[in-house]
Every structure is written in C-alpha cells, then in structure tokens.
Amino acid sequence: MANKINVGTLISGGGTNLQAIIDACQSNLIDAGIIFTGSDTPGVKGLERAQKANIDTFVVDYSKIIGSCKKGINDSDLPEDFNLDEILSKQQLVVSKASKEQRAFFLKTRAIAERKLLDKMLAYDMDLLVLAGFMRVLTPYFIDRINTEPGLYKIMNIHPALLPSFPGTDGYGDTFRYGCKIGGCTVHYIDYGEDTGPIIGQKAFEIKDNDTLDDIKKKGLEKEWRLFPQCIQKFADSLNK
Ligand code: GRF
C-alpha cells in the first residue's frame, strides 16, 4: 500500500462530505487519514462526526470575529505579516464596484480569522487541506501560507454545480432556477478567485422535469460523496508517484 497522506479538513455545517471522507479513510478505500477538522461555526453536526471518529477539532468563530471587527479594527488586530496592498493586488474575490475601504475591511476581517485558522492548523504535518462544505472564501493571505511549494496546489474544494457554470454559494439552487436538465458537482483546487481554480473531477446527474430543488440536492450530494474521496486519491497518487 502507498504512503498515506495527511488531510486537514474545514467545514461549516452538517459534514456529510466529511463523513464520506472519514468512511473512505477508515475502510482504506483511499490512501489518506484526516488529522483535524476545523469549523467556522460552533456546534455544527460535522464537528460531532469528527469527534466520533477521534479526529482533533477546533473552531474559529467567524461571525464573532466579523462582529467585533465591525466595531473597529486596530492595526494591532491584524496579523504581523499582513500586507494590505499585496493582498488587494492578488485577490479576485471582491468586485471592483466595492469601494477600496469596503474591500480593505473585507480582506482585513478575513485575514484576522484566517490567521487564527493558520495558528491552529500549522501545528499539524499536513499534505492537503480539504474544504468539505466550508462556506467562507479564503484570501491570498491564507492561500499563500498553505501553497508554499511553487506549482503545487494544496487546497481542495467541492462545489455543488458543474463549474464554470454557477460559481458562488448556491450552485444547486442556481442550477434549479435556470431550468438545467443536467446538474452536477465539481472538485477543484483553490486559487485567488471564487470557484475558479483548476478542476480535479466532476460528476453529473440528470434532472427530470418534475424534480424539486430538494431532489436536485439529494442527487448532487450522493455524487459528491463519491467524487470527493476519488479526488483526494488522485492527489495522493500524484504525491506517491
Ligand atoms: C455541499 O453541497 C457542498 O458542495 C457545498 O456545501 C455542501 C456541504 O454539505 N460546498 P455537507 O456539510 O458536506 O453535508
């Protein structure tokens, strides 16, 4: 058997994708083991799933951090190595119709939260970071501190649509409202844009005329649970070559 890769995971909710990855690791279906699960929201079911599987967990409460930033951000709140001009020039998340102040506020609040994530995560020897339903965008501040080897993407995300169609937070909803007859899910690497990084794998399903949004989500999630472990294995194979 090939060497197992160490996978860190971030979640925001129920964690059914996390469960699929835990199951694939435990049954040796993939050459991987999960070393931690972090969440941006306290008390979510996914944290329980991780704890049940004896995986270390932590929470960085984004809502609380953003709430306190709204009362004002001092320079001393920012990470020591935060450089606003550098992040502004790299990021492709906040559209240019937002004012420079709005963009700066967004990037500063996220970097404050991201530094806390990094402080928890960097204690682990991690090969790959998997976003298993993590509903926050990541800024170049965070991405550059994970992708430290030139040319090697190390952050993987699952998106509930067939990219490049329907980026954003509601892929299945957008697929349904558009009236698509094919839906799907995509696993891709994270780059500086929103859902724009290189595609690793995709699965599609048929949408019947009378399918509801719930039907689409159900069909989609079933595909996601198979696709995500396969893509993690693809990454493991590329390292084990
Ligand atoms: C999935 O549909 C995933 O594509 C999206 O968020 C949802 C997470 O579901 N990014 P779960 O928490 O894994 O059940």
Side-chain angles (χ1 to χ4, degrees):
M1 190 186 202
N3 290 335
K4 287 198 174 205
I5 59 162
N6 289 339
V7 176
T9 54
L10 292 178
I11 59 162
S12 296
T16 63
N17 276 287
L18 173 69
Q19 190 65 58
I21 299 165
I22 291 172
D23 294 346
C25 291
Q26 287 181 344
S27 57
N28 286 324
L29 214 70
I30 58 176
D31 302 317
I34 299 180
I35 47 174
F36 66 77
T37 297
S39 171
D40 68 325
T41 309
V44 294
K45 175 94 193 282
L47 286 169
E48 245 176 69
R49 295 178 188 273
Q51 284 152 5
K52 210 167 155 200
N54 287 320
I55 296 166
D56 290 354
T57 60
F58 59 82
V59 175
V60 172
D61 191 336
Y62 266 58
S63 297
K64 217 169 167 181
I65 293 167
I66 295 165
S68 96
C69 287
K70 283 183 178 155
K71 294 180 194 144
I73 303 175
N74 299 315
D75 280 352
S76 59
D77 299 329
L78 293 165
E80 271 175 24
D81 54 355
F82 178 77
N83 178 329
L84 180 61
D85 290 333
E86 183 198 337
I87 308 297
L88 270 171
S89 72
K90 286 181 176 171
Q91 70 89 28
Q92 295 158 29
L93 301 164
V94 192
V95 288
S96 50
K97 71 175 187 247
S99 69
K100 186 160 182 217
E101 286 68 34
Q102 286 169 324
R103 274 181 283 163
F105 176 80
F106 179 85
L107 294 169
K108 284 179 182 177
T109 55
R110 271 31 177 208
I112 290 169
E114 289 172 352
R115 184 66 253 171
K116 292 186 195 303
L117 280 179
L118 289 165
D119 288 344
K120 303 271 186 196
M121 290 167 41
L122 294 179
Y124 295 88
D125 178 19
M126 182 181 75
D127 298 302
L128 175 70
L129 179 63
V130 162
L131 310 179
F134 183 65
M135 302 305 285
R136 303 281 178 181
V137 294
L138 294 168
T139 77
Y141 176 78
F142 181 92
I143 294 167
D144 287 354
R145 280 155 186 78
I146 300 295
N147 288 342
T148 49
E149 288 169 56
L152 180 63
Y153 288 99
K154 285 175 68 178
I155 312 174
M156 202 181 265
N157 181 47
I158 188 139
H159 181 75
L162 288 173
L163 291 173
S165 293
F166 309 126
T169 52
D170 192 16
Y172 292 137
D174 292 339
T175 302
F176 174 66
R177 285 183 290 274
Y178 200 89
C180 295
K181 300 302 169 207
I182 299 283
C185 52
T186 304
V187 172
H188 64 98
Y189 288 116
I190 291 289
D191 67 3
Y192 297 149
E194 190 175 7
D195 303 321
T196 51
I199 290 173
I200 306 158
Q202 292 184 303
K203 281 192 191 293
F205 56 87
E206 194 184 344
I207 299 172
K208 300 264 163 55
D209 287 344
N210 55 356
D211 275 352
T212 63
L213 176 54
D214 279 346
D215 294 328
I216 290 176
K217 284 185 178 161
K218 189 164 175 282
K219 288 181 186 180
L221 273 171
E222 279 165 12
K223 297 286 180 193
E224 291 184 30
W225 301 331
R226 291 184 38 226
L227 178 65
F228 222 162
Q230 287 171 5
C231 291
I232 294 171
Q233 184 58 37
K234 218 169 171 180
F235 180 89
D237 288 341
S238 74
L239 289 192
N240 282 323
K241 254 179 208 159

